Amino acid sequence: MKKYIYIFLFFILASQTNAHTSHYAGIKVINMEVFRNGELIGYSNYFFEHGDNSMIVKNYTQFKVKLLGATIFAISSEAIEKYKDNKLIYFKSNTFQ
């Protein structure tokens, strides 16, 4: 019975969370480089658009891991997140591995 109470409380508390979009006020771009063994292998870039009580975040990520000249792992991703009144209202991601 205790387990069900904990699960119920978890869902109640999780549904009340906010995204804290105010932490990103004034930020327009975050550019990150991805390194492996000191070598640049890709990037992950975030672009922010701020409006009245809303924010749109676009993310572009791409990197490749090579071993002996052959690509053993690669990611290419584009994502968009939309927030309104500190709530995530839309999310879409296209990721290719």
Side-chain angles (χ1 to χ4, degrees):
M1 185 64 176
K2 252 186 189 178
K3 180 170 94 174
Y4 296 112
I5 292 172
Y6 288 133
I7 292 172
F8 177 74
L9 287 174
F10 173 76
F11 283 112
I12 294 297
L13 294 175
S15 67
Q16 301 299 319
T17 59
N18 288 323
H20 301 287
T21 57
S22 61
H23 293 188
Y24 300 99
I27 296 177
K28 294 184 179 187
V29 177
I30 297 175
N31 293 319
M32 295 186 287
E33 297 174 325
V34 180
F35 287 87
R36 179 178 182 269
N37 296 330
E39 180 183 344
L40 179 66
I41 62 169
Y43 61 86
S44 185
N45 299 327
Y46 294 84
F47 300 91
F48 299 84
E49 299 173 19
H50 302 278
D52 295 333
N53 295 324
S54 67
M55 181 175 72
I56 297 173
V57 181
K58 295 178 182 175
N59 170 250
Y60 302 96
T61 300
Q62 189 169 18
F63 64 88
K64 291 181 183 181
V65 177
K66 292 185 178 186
L67 182 64
L68 302 173
T71 300
I72 59 170
F73 184 74
I75 291 229
S76 179
S77 174
E78 294 182 11
I80 185 167
E81 305 168 26
K82 294 182 181 179
Y83 298 88
K84 181 94 173 155
D85 297 322
N86 282 329
K87 303 279 185 194
L88 178 66
I89 60 169
Y90 178 82
F91 177 80
K92 182 179 180 184
S93 176
N94 292 316
T95 303
F96 301 98
Q97 292 185 356

XYZ file of all heavy atoms in Angstrom:
804
model
N 0.820 -1.199 0.000
C 0.000 0.000 0.000
C 0.862 1.261 0.000
O 0.528 2.243 -0.645
C -0.937 -0.043 1.216
C -1.916 1.075 1.255
S -3.025 0.980 -0.141
C -4.106 2.295 0.208
N 1.983 1.213 0.759
C 2.876 2.359 0.815
C 3.406 2.719 -0.569
O 3.560 3.885 -0.905
C 4.068 2.040 1.724
C 4.061 2.737 3.018
C 5.362 2.423 3.730
C 5.299 2.941 5.127
N 6.485 2.655 5.891
N 3.685 1.689 -1.346
C 4.230 1.906 -2.686
C 3.262 2.733 -3.530
O 3.672 3.652 -4.235
C 4.503 0.544 -3.343
C 5.077 0.655 -4.734
C 5.553 -0.706 -5.227
C 4.466 -1.369 -6.012
N 4.898 -2.610 -6.641
N 1.993 2.446 -3.452
C 0.994 3.173 -4.236
C 0.851 4.627 -3.771
O 0.634 5.530 -4.573
C -0.357 2.453 -4.189
C -0.294 1.104 -4.837
C -0.425 -0.053 -4.097
C -0.082 0.982 -6.211
C -0.357 -1.294 -4.689
C -0.004 -0.256 -6.812
C -0.148 -1.394 -6.051
O -0.071 -2.611 -6.650
N 0.999 4.849 -2.494
C 0.951 6.219 -1.965
C 2.136 7.021 -2.485
O 1.974 8.164 -2.915
C 0.912 6.203 -0.419
C -0.416 5.617 0.059
C 1.122 7.607 0.139
C -0.494 5.379 1.544
N 3.331 6.412 -2.491
C 4.509 7.096 -3.013
C 4.370 7.403 -4.497
O 4.734 8.479 -4.958
C 5.771 6.275 -2.766
C 6.207 6.247 -1.320
C 6.565 5.059 -0.709
C 6.270 7.412 -0.562
C 6.971 5.021 0.612
C 6.671 7.393 0.759
C 7.017 6.188 1.339
O 7.412 6.166 2.642
N 3.855 6.459 -5.249
C 3.652 6.683 -6.687
C 2.650 7.810 -6.901
O 2.861 8.691 -7.737
C 3.196 5.379 -7.382
C 4.345 4.370 -7.375
C 2.726 5.658 -8.806
C 3.952 2.984 -7.854
N 1.573 7.818 -6.155
C 0.573 8.871 -6.264
C 1.177 10.236 -5.925
O 0.979 11.209 -6.662
C -0.615 8.554 -5.340
C -1.662 9.625 -5.329
C -2.510 9.778 -6.406
C -1.793 10.492 -4.240
C -3.485 10.771 -6.410
C -2.750 11.480 -4.236
C -3.600 11.619 -5.324
N 1.932 10.325 -4.839
C 2.562 11.586 -4.455
C 3.575 12.048 -5.505
O 3.677 13.238 -5.797
C 3.241 11.445 -3.097
C 2.305 11.373 -1.896
C 3.090 11.095 -0.621
C 1.510 12.658 -1.762
N 4.313 11.116 -6.078
C 5.270 11.462 -7.121
C 4.578 12.130 -8.296
O 5.026 13.166 -8.797
C 6.029 10.215 -7.586
C 6.897 10.472 -8.777
C 8.111 11.139 -8.634
C 6.496 10.079 -10.037
C 8.906 11.391 -9.732
C 7.286 10.332 -11.146
C 8.501 10.984 -10.993
N 3.480 11.567 -8.777
C 2.771 12.147 -9.911
C 2.146 13.498 -9.576
O 2.124 14.402 -10.412
C 1.709 11.183 -10.448
C 2.301 10.083 -11.275
C 2.284 8.786 -10.820
C 2.898 10.355 -12.488
C 2.826 7.769 -11.571
C 3.452 9.363 -13.250
C 3.424 8.050 -12.790
N 1.657 13.656 -8.380
C 1.092 14.944 -7.970
C 2.184 16.012 -7.928
O 2.021 17.107 -8.466
C 0.399 14.831 -6.585
C -0.829 13.930 -6.682
C 0.035 16.202 -6.040
C -1.907 14.452 -7.593
N 3.316 15.700 -7.306
C 4.400 16.677 -7.196
C 5.053 16.944 -8.554
O 5.422 18.082 -8.847
C 5.433 16.196 -6.186
C 4.952 16.120 -4.739
C 6.017 15.507 -3.840
C 4.534 17.488 -4.232
N 5.194 15.943 -9.376
C 5.827 16.119 -10.686
C 4.969 16.981 -11.606
O 5.490 17.714 -12.446
C 6.089 14.765 -11.330
N 3.668 16.937 -11.455
C 2.790 17.727 -12.326
C 2.801 19.212 -11.956
O 2.342 20.044 -12.720
C 1.364 17.191 -12.276
O 0.811 17.412 -10.996
N 3.359 19.551 -10.802
C 3.386 20.938 -10.348
C 4.723 21.629 -10.614
O 4.955 22.727 -10.135
C 3.086 20.992 -8.840
C 1.745 20.401 -8.458
C 0.596 21.133 -9.106
O 0.589 22.346 -9.197
N -0.382 20.386 -9.593
N 5.604 20.998 -11.364
C 6.920 21.577 -11.589
C 6.884 22.659 -12.662
O 6.057 22.644 -13.563
C 7.930 20.495 -12.017
O 7.467 19.883 -13.215
C 8.111 19.459 -10.937
N 7.792 23.622 -12.537
C 7.939 24.695 -13.504
C 9.287 24.576 -14.198
O 10.221 23.976 -13.674
C 7.840 26.064 -12.822
C 6.431 26.380 -12.386
O 5.476 26.043 -13.061
N 6.309 27.021 -11.239
N 9.385 25.197 -15.365
C 10.599 25.102 -16.156
C 11.650 26.138 -15.773
O 12.782 26.048 -16.212
C 10.254 25.245 -17.634
N 11.304 27.144 -14.994
C 12.220 28.205 -14.581
C 12.870 28.888 -15.792
O 14.079 29.064 -15.851
C 13.296 27.672 -13.631
C 12.735 27.073 -12.392
N 12.200 27.841 -11.387
C 12.597 25.785 -12.003
C 11.765 27.044 -10.429
N 11.990 25.801 -10.772
N 12.059 29.261 -16.750
C 12.570 29.908 -17.960
C 13.202 31.258 -17.662
O 13.990 31.750 -18.465
C 11.456 30.073 -19.006
O 10.378 30.816 -18.434
C 10.945 28.724 -19.481
N 12.916 31.846 -16.514
C 13.522 33.137 -16.168
C 15.042 33.023 -16.019
O 15.748 34.012 -16.144
C 12.904 33.697 -14.888
O 13.136 32.818 -13.812
N 15.552 31.817 -15.777
C 16.994 31.627 -15.668
C 17.688 31.920 -16.995
O 18.898 32.166 -17.016
C 17.318 30.198 -15.246
C 16.868 29.875 -13.863
N 17.200 28.707 -13.235
C 16.094 30.556 -12.976
C 16.667 28.687 -12.033
N 15.987 29.796 -11.852
N 16.944 31.876 -18.109
C 17.523 32.083 -19.432
C 17.185 33.455 -20.007
O 17.464 33.710 -21.179
C 17.051 30.985 -20.384
C 17.460 29.615 -19.895
C 16.569 28.810 -19.206
C 18.746 29.148 -20.099
C 16.944 27.569 -18.736
C 19.137 27.916 -19.639
C 18.232 27.126 -18.961
O 18.620 25.899 -18.491
N 16.622 34.332 -19.210
C 16.288 35.686 -19.679
C 17.569 36.383 -20.114
O 18.575 36.363 -19.413
C 15.600 36.472 -18.576
N 17.537 36.989 -21.260
C 18.699 37.700 -21.770
C 19.687 36.836 -22.537
O 20.587 37.349 -23.179
N 19.541 35.530 -22.465
C 20.435 34.641 -23.215
C 19.827 34.401 -24.591
O 18.657 34.042 -24.714
C 20.651 33.308 -22.478
C 21.350 33.558 -21.159
C 21.450 32.337 -23.343
C 21.556 32.322 -20.317
N 20.613 34.603 -25.620
C 20.142 34.393 -26.988
C 20.754 33.151 -27.614
O 20.113 32.481 -28.417
C 20.434 35.616 -27.845
C 19.652 36.837 -27.414
C 19.880 37.987 -28.335
C 19.045 39.173 -27.849
N 19.075 40.291 -28.755
N 22.008 32.846 -27.265
C 22.710 31.718 -27.893
C 23.634 31.052 -26.878
O 24.296 31.742 -26.096
C 23.558 32.191 -29.101
C 24.347 31.042 -29.702
C 22.704 32.837 -30.161
N 23.679 29.727 -26.908
C 24.689 28.954 -26.192
C 25.310 28.021 -27.228
O 24.617 27.187 -27.819
C 24.097 28.130 -25.036
C 23.493 29.034 -23.976
C 25.177 27.226 -24.433
C 22.790 28.290 -22.852
N 26.605 28.181 -27.464
C 27.336 27.326 -28.402
C 28.291 26.437 -27.618
O 29.090 26.941 -26.834
C 28.138 28.159 -29.403
C 27.248 28.937 -30.338
O 26.244 28.436 -30.816
N 27.610 30.178 -30.598
N 28.198 25.133 -27.838
C 29.083 24.189 -27.163
C 29.794 23.332 -28.195
O 29.193 22.932 -29.193
C 28.291 23.296 -26.212
C 27.651 24.040 -25.068
S 26.857 22.962 -23.876
C 25.411 22.462 -24.792
N 31.048 23.065 -27.941
C 31.818 22.160 -28.779
C 31.939 20.828 -28.056
O 32.073 20.778 -26.837
C 33.199 22.731 -29.054
C 33.157 24.036 -29.840
C 34.528 24.666 -29.977
O 35.341 24.553 -29.035
O 34.768 25.277 -31.027
N 31.914 19.723 -28.813
C 32.035 18.382 -28.245
C 33.425 17.857 -28.593
O 33.806 17.811 -29.767
C 30.942 17.436 -28.801
C 31.087 16.042 -28.207
C 29.554 17.998 -28.525
N 34.182 17.475 -27.553
C 35.535 16.976 -27.742
C 35.635 15.522 -27.300
O 34.934 15.089 -26.382
C 36.538 17.796 -26.926
C 36.788 19.161 -27.464
C 35.979 20.228 -27.093
C 37.827 19.387 -28.343
C 36.202 21.495 -27.582
C 38.059 20.654 -28.846
C 37.257 21.711 -28.471
N 36.513 14.785 -27.959
C 36.859 13.422 -27.547
C 38.367 13.294 -27.678
O 38.918 13.514 -28.750
C 36.174 12.380 -28.420
C 36.530 10.966 -28.023
C 35.792 9.946 -28.875
N 36.114 8.619 -28.455
C 37.115 7.891 -28.957
N 37.864 8.373 -29.907
N 37.346 6.682 -28.505
N 39.011 12.967 -26.587
C 40.474 12.843 -26.559
C 41.153 14.111 -27.083
O 42.127 14.043 -27.834
C 40.940 11.624 -27.353
C 40.457 10.324 -26.756
O 40.264 10.224 -25.545
N 40.254 9.329 -27.589
N 40.611 15.265 -26.729
C 41.202 16.530 -27.126
C 40.924 16.950 -28.557
O 41.384 17.992 -29.001
N 40.145 16.175 -29.289
C 39.836 16.482 -30.693
C 38.367 16.907 -30.821
O 37.475 16.264 -30.274
C 40.085 15.254 -31.570
C 39.785 15.476 -33.031
C 39.968 14.210 -33.858
O 40.599 13.255 -33.380
O 39.438 14.183 -34.977
N 38.139 17.995 -31.554
C 36.780 18.473 -31.790
C 36.052 17.482 -32.691
O 36.499 17.184 -33.796
C 36.814 19.853 -32.448
C 35.459 20.478 -32.788
C 34.677 20.783 -31.519
C 35.653 21.744 -33.609
N 34.918 16.942 -32.192
C 34.168 15.968 -32.987
C 32.756 16.449 -33.317
O 32.032 15.779 -34.047
C 34.099 14.587 -32.290
C 33.374 14.689 -30.946
C 35.479 13.987 -32.138
C 33.022 13.357 -30.326
N 32.340 17.597 -32.783
C 31.000 18.081 -33.094
C 30.609 19.285 -32.277
O 31.439 19.957 -31.676
N 29.295 19.539 -32.250
C 28.777 20.719 -31.569
C 27.367 20.469 -31.060
O 26.686 19.537 -31.492
C 28.769 21.927 -32.512
C 27.893 21.731 -33.727
C 26.536 22.023 -33.686
C 28.417 21.248 -34.919
C 25.725 21.832 -34.789
C 27.619 21.057 -36.029
C 26.281 21.352 -35.963
O 25.471 21.152 -37.057
N 26.947 21.332 -30.145
C 25.573 21.389 -29.672
C 25.258 22.860 -29.417
O 25.843 23.475 -28.528
C 25.378 20.571 -28.401
O 24.013 20.555 -28.026
N 24.377 23.425 -30.214
C 24.075 24.850 -30.153
C 22.611 25.081 -29.794
O 21.726 24.405 -30.324
C 24.394 25.528 -31.488
C 25.854 25.410 -31.844
O 26.705 25.407 -30.972
N 26.159 25.300 -33.119
N 22.372 26.046 -28.905
C 21.033 26.396 -28.460
C 20.747 27.843 -28.838
O 21.577 28.716 -28.623
C 20.904 26.253 -26.940
C 21.017 24.833 -26.457
C 22.255 24.251 -26.242
C 19.873 24.076 -26.216
C 22.360 22.940 -25.802
C 19.967 22.774 -25.779
C 21.210 22.217 -25.572
O 21.310 20.920 -25.137
N 19.551 28.089 -29.360
C 19.121 29.435 -29.732
C 17.813 29.730 -29.004
O 16.885 28.920 -29.043
C 18.931 29.533 -31.250
C 20.193 29.232 -32.003
C 20.486 27.941 -32.419
C 21.097 30.237 -32.269
C 21.656 27.654 -33.097
C 22.271 29.968 -32.953
C 22.555 28.670 -33.366
N 17.743 30.894 -28.351
C 16.605 31.269 -27.525
C 15.873 32.453 -28.139
O 16.501 33.425 -28.542
C 17.070 31.655 -26.120
C 17.762 30.544 -25.383
C 19.109 30.302 -25.571
C 17.060 29.742 -24.506
C 19.754 29.277 -24.903
C 17.684 28.723 -23.825
C 19.038 28.486 -24.026
N 14.553 32.353 -28.183
C 13.696 33.459 -28.610
C 12.745 33.751 -27.454
O 12.013 32.866 -27.014
C 12.903 33.083 -29.856
C 13.760 32.750 -31.058
C 12.941 32.219 -32.225
O 11.706 32.436 -32.251
O 13.545 31.566 -33.089
N 12.768 34.989 -26.959
C 11.958 35.373 -25.808
C 10.792 36.243 -26.255
O 10.944 37.110 -27.097
C 12.805 36.144 -24.790
C 13.988 35.363 -24.299
N 13.892 34.436 -23.303
C 15.290 35.358 -24.688
C 15.082 33.902 -23.091
N 15.943 34.446 -23.924
N 9.613 35.991 -25.663
C 8.429 36.797 -25.934
C 7.707 37.101 -24.642
O 8.241 36.902 -23.547
N 6.478 37.571 -24.738
C 5.667 37.853 -23.563
C 5.291 36.543 -22.875
O 4.473 35.791 -23.371
C 4.397 38.617 -23.946
C 4.703 39.999 -24.494
O 5.750 40.562 -24.116
O 3.903 40.500 -25.302
N 5.915 36.285 -21.727
C 5.663 35.061 -20.951
C 5.863 33.795 -21.766
O 5.249 32.764 -21.495
C 4.259 35.068 -20.342
C 4.093 36.154 -19.317
O 5.026 36.450 -18.575
N 2.929 36.759 -19.271
N 6.693 33.866 -22.804
C 6.952 32.686 -23.623
C 8.419 32.646 -24.014
O 9.128 33.647 -23.972
C 6.076 32.689 -24.875
O 6.452 33.743 -25.727
N 8.862 31.443 -24.384
C 10.235 31.257 -24.835
C 10.267 30.064 -25.777
O 9.585 29.062 -25.565
C 11.165 31.002 -23.645
C 12.619 30.825 -24.044
S 13.735 30.663 -22.633
C 13.308 29.036 -22.048
N 11.054 30.193 -26.836
C 11.272 29.102 -27.780
C 12.761 28.783 -27.755
O 13.601 29.678 -27.847
C 10.829 29.482 -29.199
C 9.330 29.766 -29.224
C 11.196 28.379 -30.192
C 8.827 30.305 -30.547
N 13.081 27.500 -27.614
C 14.469 27.045 -27.605
C 14.652 26.091 -28.783
O 13.922 25.117 -28.921
C 14.828 26.309 -26.299
C 16.279 25.866 -26.306
C 14.524 27.164 -25.090
N 15.642 26.412 -29.619
C 15.987 25.535 -30.738
C 17.376 24.985 -30.474
O 18.287 25.724 -30.112
C 15.959 26.302 -32.052
C 14.577 26.792 -32.409
C 14.577 27.589 -33.684
C 13.163 28.109 -33.959
N 13.121 28.987 -35.132
N 17.529 23.671 -30.658
C 18.801 22.999 -30.400
C 19.230 22.232 -31.646
O 18.424 21.516 -32.237
C 18.662 22.049 -29.207
C 19.878 21.168 -29.051
O 19.810 19.973 -29.281
N 20.996 21.744 -28.682
N 20.488 22.412 -32.008
C 21.075 21.679 -33.123
C 22.327 20.988 -32.608
O 23.218 21.641 -32.051
C 21.432 22.632 -34.267
C 20.247 23.410 -34.769
C 20.001 24.700 -34.302
C 19.355 22.853 -35.667
C 18.904 25.419 -34.741
C 18.245 23.568 -36.112
C 18.034 24.844 -35.644
O 16.937 25.550 -36.076
N 22.388 19.671 -32.764
C 23.507 18.881 -32.260
C 24.001 17.959 -33.369
O 23.195 17.349 -34.074
C 23.088 18.032 -31.046
O 22.632 18.896 -30.013
C 24.235 17.183 -30.525
N 25.325 17.873 -33.478
C 25.898 16.952 -34.452
C 27.307 16.581 -34.006
O 28.093 17.449 -33.633
C 25.950 17.577 -35.838
C 26.332 16.604 -36.920
C 26.118 17.186 -38.306
O 25.996 18.391 -38.476
N 26.063 16.327 -39.287
N 27.592 15.277 -33.992
C 28.955 14.838 -33.742
C 29.148 13.421 -34.242
O 28.187 12.669 -34.442
C 29.368 14.975 -32.273
C 28.603 14.138 -31.295
C 28.995 12.849 -30.991
C 27.503 14.666 -30.640
C 28.301 12.092 -30.061
C 26.805 13.919 -29.710
C 27.203 12.628 -29.424
N 30.415 13.074 -34.489
C 30.807 11.749 -34.963
C 31.985 11.252 -34.142
O 32.916 12.004 -33.868
C 31.232 11.783 -36.430
C 30.135 12.057 -37.400
C 30.674 12.031 -38.820
C 29.553 12.388 -39.794
N 30.029 12.363 -41.183
N 31.938 9.975 -33.781
C 33.047 9.331 -33.089
C 33.665 8.344 -34.070
O 32.975 7.466 -34.596
C 32.565 8.598 -31.818
C 33.726 7.875 -31.156
C 31.908 9.575 -30.854
N 34.955 8.521 -34.312
C 35.653 7.646 -35.255
C 36.695 6.824 -34.519
O 37.318 7.282 -33.564
C 36.332 8.471 -36.356
C 35.355 9.154 -37.276
C 36.067 9.841 -38.412
C 35.026 10.471 -39.341
N 35.650 11.028 -40.538
N 36.868 5.593 -34.993
C 37.884 4.689 -34.465
C 38.599 4.069 -35.650
O 37.952 3.436 -36.502
C 37.237 3.615 -33.586
C 38.173 2.626 -32.911
C 39.093 3.347 -31.923
C 37.387 1.549 -32.198
N 39.873 4.296 -35.741
C 40.695 3.811 -36.861
C 40.144 4.278 -38.211
O 40.126 3.531 -39.188
C 40.808 2.286 -36.822
C 41.408 1.689 -35.546
C 41.316 0.186 -35.562
C 42.837 2.160 -35.348
N 39.643 5.505 -38.238
C 39.153 6.093 -39.471
C 37.713 5.757 -39.826
O 37.152 6.330 -40.745
N 37.097 4.835 -39.107
C 35.705 4.442 -39.379
C 34.782 5.082 -38.343
O 35.092 5.118 -37.150
C 35.552 2.929 -39.337
N 33.649 5.608 -38.791
C 32.669 6.190 -37.887
C 31.962 5.070 -37.130
O 31.316 4.217 -37.741
C 31.644 7.034 -38.662
O 32.335 8.074 -39.352
C 30.615 7.646 -37.727
N 32.116 5.073 -35.805
C 31.471 4.028 -34.995
C 30.212 4.535 -34.298
O 29.394 3.746 -33.851
C 32.448 3.426 -33.962
C 32.978 4.499 -33.012
C 33.581 2.710 -34.652
C 33.741 3.959 -31.825
N 30.066 5.867 -34.215
C 28.879 6.437 -33.588
C 28.701 7.854 -34.111
O 29.658 8.614 -34.191
C 29.028 6.456 -32.062
C 27.818 6.942 -31.339
C 26.689 6.148 -31.223
C 27.796 8.207 -30.769
C 25.565 6.601 -30.551
C 26.673 8.667 -30.097
C 25.558 7.852 -29.989
N 27.476 8.194 -34.480
C 27.201 9.546 -34.972
C 25.807 9.971 -34.527
O 24.895 9.141 -34.442
C 27.293 9.598 -36.487
N 25.659 11.248 -34.249
C 24.361 11.819 -33.868
C 24.149 13.092 -34.669
O 25.047 13.911 -34.804
C 24.311 12.161 -32.372
C 24.314 10.908 -31.545
C 23.150 13.049 -32.040
C 23.286 10.802 -30.472
N 22.941 13.240 -35.163
C 22.500 14.477 -35.786
C 21.103 14.735 -35.248
O 20.213 13.892 -35.387
C 22.484 14.334 -37.310
O 22.040 15.530 -37.903
N 20.917 15.894 -34.617
C 19.658 16.145 -33.934
C 19.230 17.598 -34.081
O 20.065 18.500 -34.055
C 19.806 15.804 -32.452
O 18.648 16.161 -31.731
N 17.923 17.794 -34.240
C 17.304 19.113 -34.208
C 16.107 19.022 -33.281
O 15.318 18.094 -33.375
C 16.838 19.538 -35.594
C 17.948 19.752 -36.588
C 17.440 20.219 -37.935
O 16.255 20.579 -38.046
O 18.237 20.211 -38.875
N 15.987 19.993 -32.387
C 14.872 19.978 -31.438
C 14.324 21.389 -31.266
O 15.047 22.368 -31.416
C 15.314 19.425 -30.090
N 13.047 21.450 -30.938
C 12.411 22.733 -30.626
C 11.539 22.532 -29.389
O 10.831 21.532 -29.268
C 11.590 23.281 -31.814
C 11.053 24.672 -31.498
C 10.497 22.342 -32.220
C 10.515 25.415 -32.699
N 11.654 23.471 -28.465
C 10.859 23.466 -27.235
C 10.146 24.805 -27.145
O 10.750 25.840 -27.400
C 11.750 23.306 -26.003
C 12.640 22.116 -26.024
C 13.697 22.180 -24.927
O 13.474 22.844 -23.886
O 14.756 21.583 -25.125
N 8.880 24.779 -26.745
C 8.123 26.019 -26.553
C 7.588 26.042 -25.130
O 7.010 25.056 -24.650
C 6.967 26.111 -27.546
C 7.426 26.240 -28.980
C 6.268 26.377 -29.934
C 6.760 26.471 -31.369
N 5.653 26.592 -32.321
N 7.801 27.180 -24.471
C 7.355 27.375 -23.094
C 6.415 28.558 -23.027
O 6.619 29.563 -23.694
C 8.555 27.652 -22.182
C 9.537 26.520 -22.113
C 10.581 26.416 -23.022
C 9.430 25.549 -21.127
C 11.489 25.382 -22.965
C 10.327 24.503 -21.051
C 11.357 24.425 -21.973
O 12.258 23.392 -21.909
N 5.381 28.423 -22.223
C 4.433 29.511 -21.972
C 4.153 29.520 -20.478
O 3.781 28.491 -19.902
C 3.137 29.276 -22.761
C 2.102 30.334 -22.593
C 2.231 31.350 -23.682
C 1.051 32.314 -23.565
N 1.364 33.578 -24.134
N 4.348 30.660 -19.830
C 4.144 30.795 -18.381
C 4.909 29.726 -17.601
O 4.361 29.075 -16.709
C 2.649 30.749 -18.039
C 1.880 31.894 -18.651
O 2.429 33.016 -18.691
O 0.731 31.674 -19.105
N 6.186 29.532 -17.947
C 7.074 28.567 -17.290
C 6.638 27.114 -17.423
O 7.069 26.261 -16.649
C 7.268 28.905 -15.811
C 8.233 30.031 -15.606
O 9.167 30.210 -16.389
N 8.026 30.808 -14.561
N 5.809 26.803 -18.393
C 5.365 25.423 -18.637
C 5.764 25.017 -20.039
O 5.600 25.779 -20.990
C 3.842 25.286 -18.502
C 3.279 25.707 -17.180
C 3.446 24.633 -16.164
C 2.738 25.059 -14.886
N 3.082 24.266 -13.767
N 6.293 23.811 -20.164
C 6.596 23.262 -21.478
C 5.282 22.906 -22.153
O 4.507 22.092 -21.647
C 7.476 22.021 -21.352
C 7.837 21.316 -22.651
C 8.725 22.203 -23.520
C 8.534 20.002 -22.360
N 5.009 23.548 -23.305
C 3.739 23.293 -23.993
C 3.934 22.564 -25.314
O 2.976 22.052 -25.889
C 2.951 24.605 -24.229
C 3.750 25.584 -25.079
C 2.537 25.229 -22.908
C 2.951 26.780 -25.565
N 5.187 22.502 -25.806
C 5.437 21.845 -27.088
C 6.882 21.366 -27.123
O 7.791 22.061 -26.681
C 5.200 22.839 -28.228
C 5.468 22.281 -29.605
C 4.523 21.518 -30.267
C 6.677 22.533 -30.246
C 4.762 21.016 -31.534
C 6.933 22.023 -31.511
C 5.981 21.275 -32.141
O 6.234 20.765 -33.400
N 7.079 20.163 -27.653
C 8.418 19.619 -27.831
C 8.429 18.743 -29.065
O 7.545 17.897 -29.244
C 8.856 18.793 -26.621
C 10.204 18.153 -26.795
C 11.349 18.896 -26.602
C 10.314 16.836 -27.179
C 12.598 18.315 -26.779
C 11.544 16.250 -27.348
C 12.699 16.988 -27.148
N 9.423 18.942 -29.924
C 9.578 18.108 -31.108
C 11.068 17.910 -31.342
O 11.842 18.858 -31.264
C 8.942 18.730 -32.334
C 9.054 17.855 -33.566
C 8.397 18.467 -34.762
C 8.556 17.535 -35.949
N 8.008 18.131 -37.158
N 11.465 16.679 -31.620
C 12.874 16.376 -31.837
C 13.016 15.377 -32.965
O 12.254 14.410 -33.055
C 13.492 15.800 -30.556
O 14.825 15.433 -30.799
N 13.969 15.629 -33.833
C 14.350 14.679 -34.878
C 15.807 14.314 -34.617
O 16.686 15.161 -34.699
C 14.220 15.308 -36.272
C 12.787 15.571 -36.618
O 11.914 14.753 -36.394
N 12.533 16.738 -37.194
N 16.045 13.045 -34.304
C 17.377 12.587 -33.980
C 17.717 11.374 -34.833
O 16.913 10.451 -34.946
C 17.495 12.207 -32.487
O 17.120 13.340 -31.702
C 18.893 11.773 -32.132
N 18.895 11.424 -35.429
C 19.373 10.318 -36.242
C 20.678 9.815 -35.633
O 21.580 10.595 -35.353
C 19.612 10.766 -37.686
C 18.383 11.316 -38.340
C 18.182 12.682 -38.402
C 17.421 10.475 -38.853
C 17.040 13.210 -38.994
C 16.273 10.984 -39.431
C 16.087 12.357 -39.506
N 20.743 8.489 -35.429
C 21.971 7.881 -34.870
C 22.534 6.911 -35.860
O 21.862 6.270 -36.584
C 21.685 7.147 -33.575
C 21.310 8.058 -32.462
C 21.154 7.314 -31.143
O 21.256 6.108 -31.080
N 20.918 8.034 -30.084
